[in-house]
Amino acid sequence: MSRKPKERSLQDGQTIQFTTIKVRLYPTPAQAELFEKTFGCCRYIWNNMLADQQRFYLETGAHFIPTPAKYKNKAPFLREVDNQALIQEHNKLSQAFRVFFKNPESFGYPNFKRKKDDRDSFTACNHVFESGPTIYTTKDGIRMTKAGIVRAKFHRRPQAWWKLKRITVEKTRSGKYYCYILYEYAAKQPEPATPTPETTIGLKYSLSHFYVADDGSMADPPRWLKQAREKLAKIQQRLCRMQSGSRNYQEAVQQYRLLHEHIANQRRDFIHKESRRIANAWNAVCVRADAFEDLTKAMTHGTMMESGYGMFRECLRYKLNRQGKPLIIIDRYLPTTRTCSACGLVRDAVSYKEKSWTCPKCGAVHNREVNAAKNIKAEGYAQFCA
């Protein structure tokens, strides 16, 4: 069966963009069983390809990853699942080795997958033949290879000219199924925005307020996030008093997992709404390149990773980029907290417990975090104009 030629004609001023739509899946028992088989086969293929690669490297000193077709005769159950899911595992392993060889300090050596450690997911690419595409969406479902039409709930619909590239099916810890649909489309290239001091904002990460802007505004996470964490602590206390493996213990574990998903969804909703509001209101955003892992290790109570500020910074980046606006990141070692935003005096040290301080040179009274945000904005705008 011949495949249709790939058409990629762009007009002047257009660029290729990608958008992912996340939908909730409601598979039948037979489809859920097929998904479970696919998860296991992908894990099996990954581990065997990685083991053979290590063995081949020890024997010959060369890097080689066998294809999934090598294992189908020895493991006939691999033929029961979508072949595209197995091919994508080969592509993922090849990509993992490519980035490892390119930058071993940032990317670790690929590891074997364990069922209890890794998330259950598989990816399948869409191929368009003369008879039609292998994957497509319907009014209330998604047609997949082997599985047929899986019922799904869409919160948004793609445009008619968008091309479905691939899907990723994932099962959460609480037993829910989701599908991430990747679309490709041609969009008009945005005109670059021209930031000015009035249309530029500086953001300083804050432990108590999520972030503080140079104009003094703050983004306090809603109260329901704290309430959800209090419920999580109560469930953890109940689990400590239960017998591991009992029916009540399993029910409490399910409640624990559902509440964790609820907290993650609340955090993600807050981050997307706040980043969208800032991206629409300002022509440029200045932030500092804080290393949250190093800062978390130095903390004695709590963790900076729970706030999701790193995800917030990444959401800002791509949302600003799609509007032709820059996200300016300054050096993390600049003394923004110790520098007076009025006269430029750099103090020797500023305690994190010190909420405000007075400049000994010009006498200006500064809020510690607002002053740091002003310095971040000034340094970022100067960096952009340089």
Side-chain angles (χ1 to χ4, degrees):
M1 187 179 296
S2 61
R3 185 181 300 179
K4 286 185 176 180
K6 192 172 184 179
E7 298 180 0
R8 187 185 290 262
S9 58
L10 295 178
Q11 300 178 0
D12 293 339
Q14 288 189 336
T15 181
I16 292 293
Q17 287 190 0
F18 295 91
T19 294
T20 301
I21 297 179
K22 180 181 179 181
V23 300
R24 173 80 182 274
L25 296 180
Y26 298 90
T28 62
Q31 292 171 338
E33 182 180 359
L34 178 61
F35 288 164
E36 295 296 331
K37 288 182 180 179
T38 307
F39 297 148
C41 290
C42 290
R43 194 180 308 112
Y44 175 87
I45 281 290
W46 175 283
N47 291 338
N48 279 270
M49 290 188 300
L50 181 57
D52 289 345
Q53 186 276 338
Q54 293 178 353
R55 188 180 305 110
F56 188 84
Y57 183 79
L58 291 175
E59 294 175 356
T60 63
H63 171 71
F64 173 75
I65 302 177
T67 60
K70 172 187 174 183
Y71 307 96
K72 291 187 176 181
N73 293 332
K74 183 177 65 174
F77 55 85
L78 295 176
R79 304 180 188 275
E80 300 177 7
V81 302
D82 185 8
N83 184 51
Q84 279 297 315
L86 307 181
I87 293 175
Q88 290 304 311
E89 289 300 309
H90 181 271
N91 295 339
K92 291 177 185 177
L93 184 59
S94 301
Q95 176 66 13
F97 273 108
R98 279 196 295 269
V99 296
F100 169 73
F101 292 142
K102 185 177 180 179
N103 191 355
E105 296 180 357
S106 301
F107 299 94
Y109 188 86
N111 296 322
F112 291 97
K113 292 184 177 181
R114 297 192 301 176
K115 185 176 182 180
K116 64 178 182 180
D117 294 340
D118 297 283
R119 71 167 188 168
D120 291 330
S121 66
F122 69 86
T123 302
C125 289
N126 180 31
H127 296 288
V128 181
F129 297 96
E130 293 293 340
S131 58
T134 57
I135 302 173
Y136 57 85
T137 59
T138 62
K139 181 180 179 181
D140 57 352
I142 304 175
R143 193 271 178 187
M144 305 180 189
T145 307
K146 299 278 188 177
I149 298 180
V150 183
R151 192 164 68 92
K153 184 176 181 180
F154 295 84
H155 72 282
R156 58 178 293 197
R157 290 284 181 173
Q159 299 295 330
W161 60 89
W162 290 9
K163 295 181 181 179
L164 196 155
K165 301 299 293 182
R166 65 171 180 262
I167 62 171
T168 298
V169 178
E170 175 192 8
K171 181 183 178 182
T172 63
R173 294 282 187 176
S174 60
K176 299 177 184 177
Y177 292 92
Y178 291 94
C179 182
Y180 301 85
I181 313 174
L182 178 67
Y183 287 96
E184 177 191 70
Y185 59 94
K188 184 178 180 181
Q189 194 167 6
E191 297 182 1
T194 304
T196 62
E198 293 75 18
T199 58
T200 303
I201 186 173
L203 302 181
K204 164 70 170 63
Y205 173 75
S206 172
L207 281 173
S208 56
H209 301 288
F210 190 68
Y211 75 75
V212 175
D214 62 277
D215 58 0
S217 60
M218 304 173 185
D220 293 324
R223 289 283 300 175
W224 38 251
L225 186 59
K226 181 180 179 181
Q227 295 172 358
R229 288 173 178 169
E230 292 175 354
K231 294 180 183 178
L232 187 63
K234 292 180 180 179
I235 296 178
Q236 289 174 325
Q237 291 175 358
R238 288 172 49 200
L239 283 172
C240 293
R241 302 187 183 101
M242 293 180 180
Q243 182 180 357
S244 179
S246 64
R247 182 176 179 180
N248 290 337
Y249 182 85
Q250 296 298 332
E251 291 179 355
V253 168
Q254 180 66 6
Q255 294 178 3
Y256 178 80
R257 291 172 176 171
L258 288 171
L259 188 54
H260 256 301
E261 286 187 10
H262 182 61
I263 295 173
N265 291 335
Q266 288 176 324
R267 183 189 302 113
R268 192 179 300 110
D269 179 74
F270 170 74
I271 287 173
H272 276 289
K273 288 181 179 178
E274 193 65 25
S275 59
R276 172 55 63 192
R277 184 187 66 82
I278 294 177
N280 291 344
W282 302 91
N283 286 349
V285 180
C286 305
V287 296
R288 194 171 62 179
D290 295 317
F292 298 109
E293 293 184 1
D294 297 340
L295 294 175
T296 300
K297 293 177 182 178
M299 293 178 60
T300 56
H301 300 285
T303 172
M304 303 180 73
M305 310 299 284
E306 293 180 357
S307 65
Y309 189 79
M311 178 183 177
F312 170 76
R313 200 165 57 185
E314 181 62 23
C315 289
L316 266 180
R317 183 197 60 78
Y318 85 82
K319 289 174 182 178
L320 288 168
N321 182 55
R322 291 194 173 184
Q323 299 183 37
K325 303 175 182 179
L327 175 66
I328 307 169
I329 300 179
I330 68 171
D331 187 10
R332 56 176 290 202
Y333 295 108
L334 289 175
T336 56
T337 305
R338 299 185 288 112
T339 303
C340 175
S341 58
C343 65
L345 175 70
V346 181
R347 295 181 59 189
D348 295 335
V350 176
S351 174
Y352 284 99
K353 297 181 180 179
E354 189 178 359
K355 298 298 182 181
S356 61
W357 57 279
T358 303
C359 178
K361 182 179 179 180
C362 65
V365 180
H366 298 294
N367 179 288
R368 182 176 59 86
E369 294 180 331
V370 175
N371 176 70
K374 291 180 179 179
N375 291 326
I376 290 174
K377 172 184 174 179
E379 180 64 26
Y381 185 74
Q383 179 179 318
F384 176 81
C385 295

